[in-house]
Amino acid sequence: LVLEGDAGMHDPVRLPLPVHVGRLVPEDLEGVVGLVHHLELETRGFGDPEGADGLVFEDVDRDGAVAQSPDRLAPVPDAFVRDEVDIHHVAPDAEANPKSPDGHLIKAVAGSLVGLADRQGLDAVIAMYADPHAQMALSARRALQLRGQTLHVAVSVEGSDLTDSICSHLDDGEGLALLAEVCEADSVFTVSHAAAQMLLSALGQVAGSEPAERLRSRLVVRHPGLPPEYFDRAAPRQVNRWRSRLGIPPYARVVSSQVRLVAEKGPDVLLDLAERAASTGRDDLFFVLAGEGPLLADLAERAGVMGNCAVVANPDPDEARVMRSASAMGVFPSRPIPGWT
């Protein structure tokens, strides 16, 4: 599992199949597990989940420095723990060509993938966020092809890929360059049907209908990375205890959201909805926001005086399942953040 981001590992775990290239923060890990599980089911079996040696974290930040956050990763549910994850660093001390420093991290990750193919038989990569991770994975694939080796590249196109890297650059050629990398991948995923339509529309606009139709025929929508057992219904007594603990009236329907508590995820949207419901006399609704992040304290303080809203800090998998079972509606908000990608 190869990361370019700010995650750290406290208790290593092993996951089942391909390597992942992408920025990862702690709350994303279960989504990666879900995508790996989806690939096992949907891509006609590249790799060998029974014989896999595990996945590898290449943990660096955007400047090539080693991330230092070993305490930030929540435990992974036992159902997905398979021994351990090996942690490697992508050449943090390697010197770039002083006359060509641009792109050194991309080349370093590509080189690391080639090394993993040699040492551990790596044959599949997930590029989570196409920009710039598809370039890393495809560069490694081309290098290995020179030696007759095969590397299956799966690209997952995320929201900021579309809004910031593709659709904001349809007129200057940069969007088309990234779209070409997406189309070159062996498997292509998006996070929703709306994202799939946006991707196909952008490709059709800059490359024409034929490439868009070819991509449409193999594009897979992979929904948020939660396995089916996450949606098993909790026992009524568990739901009742949970509602009682949060002070939810017995007649109120629950509207919940579990997100990373950072500005771009829009967690305050749920509190805005709670305020609007209260102002219009909707006492039949109660709002629950769950998650962890830098906005936790401010959101909890705001919710604490509202009366129809509660904030649950970093729920474990069991509590999250109870919350979903108790909810009449789940909300996944987001906010555009100028200058953020």
Side-chain angles (χ1 to χ4, degrees), residues 99-293:
K99 296 184 178 180
S100 180
D102 293 343
H104 173 62
L105 181 58
I106 292 175
K107 290 182 288 184
V109 173
S112 182
L113 293 174
V114 171
L116 288 171
D118 290 339
R119 297 190 303 272
Q120 298 187 16
L122 170 69
D123 64 357
V125 173
I126 305 170
M128 179 79 80
Y129 289 88
D131 186 13
H133 309 110
Q135 183 178 349
M136 299 171 178
L138 291 169
S139 179
R141 187 181 73 176
R142 287 192 294 270
L144 291 167
Q145 283 174 338
L146 289 175
R147 300 194 307 210
Q149 295 170 262
T150 300
L151 183 67
H152 186 111
V153 174
V155 171
S156 180
V157 180
E158 308 296 314
S160 62
D161 285 330
L162 291 165
T163 57
D164 296 85
S165 300
I166 294 176
C167 294
S168 296
H169 292 280
L170 295 180
D171 296 330
D172 59 17
E174 186 176 327
L176 180 57
L178 180 56
L179 285 166
E181 292 173 347
V182 171
C183 292
E184 193 178 339
D186 300 293
S187 300
V188 183
F189 297 87
T190 60
V191 295
S192 67
H193 291 287
Q197 194 55 49
M198 186 182 298
L199 174 64
L200 294 169
S201 176
L203 181 59
Q205 184 175 333
V206 295
S209 60
E210 186 175 339
E213 288 304 312
R214 286 199 302 269
L215 180 59
R216 184 191 303 274
S217 68
R218 62 191 187 92
L219 186 61
V220 176
V221 174
R222 58 106 184 161
H223 296 288
L226 295 174
E229 52 265 35
Y230 266 45
F231 296 96
D232 290 344
R233 301 290 297 180
R237 64 181 182 278
Q238 293 178 296
V239 172
N240 291 337
R241 282 200 300 265
W242 180 82
R243 289 177 65 105
S244 177
R245 180 168 62 85
L246 295 184
I248 303 173
Y251 55 83
R253 291 179 294 171
V254 174
V255 178
S256 67
S257 181
Q258 183 176 356
V259 296
R260 185 154 39 99
L261 302 181
V262 293
E264 63 269 20
K265 296 300 182 183
D268 55 323
V269 169
L270 196 76
L271 304 193
D272 292 346
L273 291 172
E275 288 183 339
R276 183 179 301 179
S279 70
T280 57
R282 292 297 304 271
D283 61 355
D284 61 325
L285 298 175
F286 193 95
F287 298 80
V288 179
L289 176 63
E292 187 176 23

Side-chain angles (χ1 to χ4, degrees), residues 16-39:
L17 183 62
V19 166
H20 158 80
V21 179
R23 178 178 182 274
L24 187 72
V25 293
E27 294 81 357
D28 289 335
L29 183 56
E30 291 176 4
V32 175
V33 177
L35 179 54
V36 170
H37 178 70
H38 189 114
L39 278 167

Side-chain angles (χ1 to χ4, degrees), residues 4-20:
E4 185 276 305
D6 58 359
M9 290 296 297
H10 182 59
D11 295 312
V13 296
R14 173 173 288 171
L15 306 177
L17 183 62
V19 166
H20 158 80

